Amino acid sequence: MSDFDPYKDRDGGLATQEAKPKLKRPPLYKVILLNDDFTPMDFVIEILMDFFAMSEEKATQVMLQVHTQGVGVCGMYSKDVAETKVYIVNDYSREHHHPLMCSMEEV
Ligand code: TYC
């Protein structure tokens, strides 16, 4: 049998480095709520509980953060999920004739 082993020293003594896998985690997006003067506080709390699975206590905290600071984070999601959340929150708010604005930004 031949001594030739095709897996041994294929570089002929030359130092080589394996290519690093070019995988990056997909970016995350923050879904945010913006303050306005008209949307009732209870409606915002309902949104945070129903669409972002928050407890009433957490939803109240986030609503008050938005009310006092102007903006607050509802959660972090992949692009598709964030886009869907923004769409359903804005759609639901318009259906109920409130000007509440939901938006997203890359983290
Ligand atoms: N500022 C509103 C009010 O005083 C309440 C509110 C909170 C509105 C959060 C929007 O994203 C919002 N009724």
Side-chain angles (χ1 to χ4, degrees):
M1 239 213 336
S2 152
D3 283 343
F4 179 68
D5 178 350
Y7 295 103
K8 206 174 158 196
D9 196 20
R10 278 183 301 135
D11 313 322
L14 204 66
T16 59
Q17 193 175 19
E18 292 291 319
K20 292 213 179 84
K22 288 190 183 123
L23 289 176
K24 274 215 302 190
R25 279 179 203 284
L28 280 177
Y29 289 78
K30 282 193 281 194
V31 172
I32 57 176
L33 277 185
L34 304 174
N35 190 33
D36 67 72
D37 292 338
F38 305 102
T39 306
M41 290 183 174
D42 284 352
F43 183 81
V44 180
I45 293 171
E46 179 197 323
I47 292 264
L48 291 166
M49 291 172 69
D50 292 354
F51 298 129
F52 298 96
M54 289 185 196
S55 65
E56 189 171 358
E57 196 187 346
K58 177 74 187 163
T60 304
Q61 258 179 30
V62 173
M63 182 281 294
L64 285 173
Q65 152 89 22
V66 180
H67 178 68
T68 56
Q69 308 294 308
V71 63
V73 178
C74 310
M76 309 240 258
Y77 306 94
S78 66
K79 190 173 193 195
D80 284 6
V81 174
E83 280 171 352
T84 304
K85 299 263 183 202
V86 168
Y87 183 85
I88 59 175
V89 169
N90 287 332
D91 191 51
Y92 187 79
S93 300
R94 284 332 144 252
E95 245 176 48
H96 289 79
H97 310 289
H98 296 310
L100 180 65
M101 275 300 302
C102 185
S103 178
M104 62 194 264
E105 9 181 272
E106 196 175 330
V107 174

